[in-house]
Amino acid sequence: MAGRLFGVGLGPGDPELVTVKAARLIGEAGVIAYHSARHGRSIARSIALPYMREGQVEELLKYPLTTETTDHPGGYQGALDDFYAECARRLAAHLDEGRDVVVLCEGDPLFYGSYMHMHKRLAHRYETEVVPGVTSVAGAAAVLGRPLVEHEETLTVLPGTLPADVITEKLRNADSVAVLKLGRTFEKVRDALAEAGRLDEAWYVERATTANQRIEPLKDVDPASVPYFSLAMLPSGGGRDDERLEPGVAVVGLGPAGSQWLTPEARHVLAEATDLVGYGPYVDRVPQRSGQIRHRTDNRVEAERAAHALELARQGRRVAVVSSGDPGVFAMASAVLEAAEDFPDVPVRIVPGLTAAHAVASKAGAPLGHDYCVISLSDLLKPWEIVAERLRAAAVADLVLAIYNPASRSRTWQVGAARDLLMEHRDPATPVVIGRDVGGPQETITVTTLGELDPAQVDMRCLLIIGSSTTRVTGDGVVYTPRRYPA
């Protein structure tokens, strides 16, 4: 009779994490097979060694190459296919002689495991059993002491060999993440985490559960020290049970655009929320989470939106009302707090975000380096006479101005009117910064002067910064306002 084939998972490294069944099969098998790199040392064998016995036949399946360079006519994959075919032939010879063969595999045999290549070539020919093992992901979470996923969160597992842009996009839209196969891919993965705005959340775990395990914040790791058997982990964003949010309303600032400007606190609150409430395009910026209900509204129903959020919270929901930028700057915080006077039993908290003014200023240099004021040109909630009065006062006081809502589809004349008012007190050469779609795919920063400011350049996605008498533009176009004001 032919022998039986066993794919045996050994867990992440600690021999005590080998299952009882795996240990028994290792001790009973006539043949023990295991893979190694060209140096011939096998991590799998070192884990299984306490359960092996004398007299067993050992089959070392040594990879013929370690980098993706080969003169094989089929390229790297062709060389590997020939290697796996030869390994299968060697194991089949033992099976045909009636010997049971155990193929050792770190972690779990069918989770990025080397065993699966034998399984695909032999399982249809011989009686086969796969013995699962503790995965490297589970081992890393255990030594990190952080949950992988909680409640309705999802876990995403990525190989570091994916293209950088694919990794970045998947990181942006995921809850918890494990990235395997680091080694030479480490710098690419680290850069993808930074691009996705999640580097500060990431942990590096190497040889989890072994005496040589290493755990560090990923941003602090030297790329030259990273072996293949390591992983990057973004654990659950839910936090500890004593950090869980109570029912109520959190007004959350998303920053001007992109997850790279979302604060860790805001990310945590969004992950914990049962309901998201907000202007449709802002709600759409938050990654979808299983079980979370999204309430998208029009941009001009702030009072109704706030009341709806408070009513949901009164019913025991954890509600996040989302705003672009900072919710306390021309956004939803004041609307929610005003409506909350009729809901004294509902707790409200404000979660700050990076403001559009500060984002634009950072792209231009440091135009807000001295005293400045923030004014909205919108006359929907206040008369234009008040706007004009405040513009004149700011101009007389020689304050830098950050101007929100300069124009919209229905408001096209205010930019020109504001320019003319300011020029009554400002030099036409005063620097002006036009920031458009900052943080977004169509970001532009234009530096001009007050006298040359063309209202046609400004639309609803812009923010203006009007300099003071001391604001300067360097030869390479950097705008800044000195902190020292002349006597």
Side-chain angles (χ1 to χ4, degrees), residues 136-137 139-141 143-146 177-187 189-190 193 198-209 212-235:
S136 59
V137 176
V143 300
L144 192 57
R146 295 284 299 275
V177 183
V179 186
L180 311 184
K181 304 183 181 182
L182 292 185
R184 296 192 308 276
T185 72
F186 176 81
E187 290 184 88
V189 172
R190 182 193 59 196
L193 284 160
R198 307 195 67 177
L199 182 57
D200 288 340
E201 301 171 57
W203 288 89
Y204 170 83
V205 182
E206 175 185 318
R207 298 185 174 92
T209 76
N212 298 319
Q213 76 180 22
R214 175 183 168 200
I215 304 169
E216 291 185 43
L218 189 136
K219 63 184 179 182
D220 298 335
V221 174
D222 177 6
S225 69
V226 176
Y228 181 80
F229 286 104
S230 57
L231 60 82
M233 178 167 287
L234 297 170

Side-chain angles (χ1 to χ4, degrees), residues 6-11 14-29 47-48 50-52 102 104 129-134:
F6 297 93
V8 174
L10 300 173
D14 182 351
E16 292 187 345
L17 291 177
V18 174
T19 65
V20 172
K21 184 170 186 175
R24 175 177 62 80
L25 290 173
I26 292 168
E28 294 175 351
I47 300 171
Y51 309 103
M52 294 170 62
V102 163
L104 304 177
E129 183 176 355
V130 176
V131 180
V134 178

Side-chain angles (χ1 to χ4, degrees), residues 254-276:
L254 301 178
S259 61
Q260 70 271 21
W261 282 339
L262 188 67
T263 68
E265 181 188 17
R267 193 184 301 279
H268 168 65
V269 172
L270 294 172
E272 286 286 284
T274 59
D275 297 73
L276 294 185

Side-chain angles (χ1 to χ4, degrees), residues 31-74:
V31 179
I32 303 293
Y34 44 85
H35 290 82
S36 83
R38 287 188 293 185
H39 50 59
R41 299 184 300 274
S42 170
I43 295 175
R45 185 184 186 279
S46 68
I47 300 171
L49 187 59
Y51 309 103
M52 294 170 62
R53 57 177 171 81
E54 291 186 9
Q56 289 175 303
V57 176
E58 296 187 29
E59 284 284 357
L60 172 59
L61 310 177
K62 188 185 297 186
Y63 286 101
L65 67 172
T66 57
T67 61
E68 298 182 15
T69 56
T70 177
D71 56 4
H72 190 284

Side-chain angles (χ1 to χ4, degrees), residues 80 152 168 177 249 295 323 358 366 419 456:
L80 280 181
E152 292 82 24
T168 300
V177 183
V249 173
H295 308 268
S323 279
H358 295 159
R419 176 199 59 199

Side-chain angles (χ1 to χ4, degrees), residues 123-460:
H124 62 289
R125 296 165 51 192
Y126 302 96
E127 182 181 347
T128 300
E129 183 176 355
V130 176
V131 180
V134 178
T135 67
S136 59
V137 176
V143 300
L144 192 57
R146 295 284 299 275
L148 274 175
V149 281
E150 300 181 63
H151 309 286
E152 292 82 24
E153 291 177 335
T154 58
L155 172 65
T156 300
V157 180
L158 305 171
T161 50
L162 288 172
D165 58 338
V166 174
I167 296 175
T168 300
E169 187 58 32
K170 290 183 180 294
L171 287 170
R172 284 190 175 125
N173 298 312
D175 294 331
S176 300
V177 183
V179 186
L180 311 184
K181 304 183 181 182
L182 292 185
R184 296 192 308 276
T185 72
F186 176 81
E187 290 184 88
K188 175 178 66 175
V189 172
R190 182 193 59 196
D191 293 345
L193 284 160
E195 180 67 21
R198 307 195 67 177
L199 182 57
D200 288 340
E201 301 171 57
W203 288 89
Y204 170 83
V205 182
E206 175 185 318
R207 298 185 174 92
T209 76
T210 72
N212 298 319
Q213 76 180 22
R214 175 183 168 200
I215 304 169
E216 291 185 43
L218 189 136
K219 63 184 179 182
D220 298 335
V221 174
D222 177 6
S225 69
V226 176
Y228 181 80
F229 286 104
S230 57
L231 60 82
M233 178 167 287
L234 297 170
S236 168
R240 302 187 306 268
D241 284 342
D242 60 1
E243 292 177 337
R244 298 200 60 77
L245 301 181
E246 297 297 325
V249 173
V251 192
V252 182
L254 301 178
S259 61
Q260 70 271 21
W261 282 339
L262 188 67
T263 68
E265 181 188 17
R267 193 184 301 279
H268 168 65
V269 172
L270 294 172
E272 286 286 284
T274 59
D275 297 73
L276 294 185
V277 176
Y279 176 44
Y282 299 157
V283 171
D284 293 343
R285 283 170 48 185
V286 180
Q288 293 272 0
R289 301 188 190 278
S290 176
Q292 195 174 68
I293 302 173
R294 304 162 82 87
H295 308 268
R296 302 171 78 258
T297 65
D298 184 77
N299 198 29
R300 297 192 180 189
V301 291
E302 290 185 352
E304 295 89 338
R305 185 187 307 150
H308 181 214
L310 290 158
E311 185 59 45
L312 288 170
R314 179 177 276 174
Q315 297 168 15
R317 312 289 289 177
R318 298 189 301 273
V319 184
V321 178
V322 295
S323 279
S324 181
D326 183 280
V329 180
F330 301 121
M332 281 300 299
S334 58
V336 171
L337 291 173
E338 183 176 2
E341 294 185 18
D342 296 327
F343 294 80
D345 55 325
V346 177
V348 176
R349 62 182 291 205
I350 312 300
V351 180
L354 179 64
T355 71
H358 295 159
V360 171
S362 71
K363 297 291 186 175
L368 305 181
H370 197 65
D371 297 343
Y372 69 94
C373 68
V374 177
I375 293 177
S376 170
L377 288 195
S378 173
D379 58 355
L380 295 176
L381 300 176
K382 64 180 181 291
W384 174 254
E385 290 75 17
I386 296 297
V387 178
E389 180 180 334
R390 291 173 178 175
L391 287 170
R392 290 191 184 94
V396 170
D398 198 24
L399 295 170
V400 175
L401 289 92
I403 297 182
Y404 282 69
N405 306 311
S408 70
R409 293 187 182 93
S410 60
R411 295 186 300 102
T412 58
W413 57 271
Q414 281 93 335
V415 174
R419 176 199 59 199
D420 295 343
L421 284 170
L422 293 171
M423 285 184 60
E424 294 174 8
H425 305 278
R426 294 278 168 95
D427 190 305
T430 299
V432 173
V433 177
I434 305 173
R436 186 178 189 279
D437 191 34
V438 170
Q442 299 179 333
E443 174 184 304
T444 59
I445 297 293
T446 303
V447 179
T448 184
T449 64
L450 189 60
E452 296 178 349
L453 174 60
D454 181 3
Q457 290 182 279
V458 181
D459 61 26
M460 61 191 300

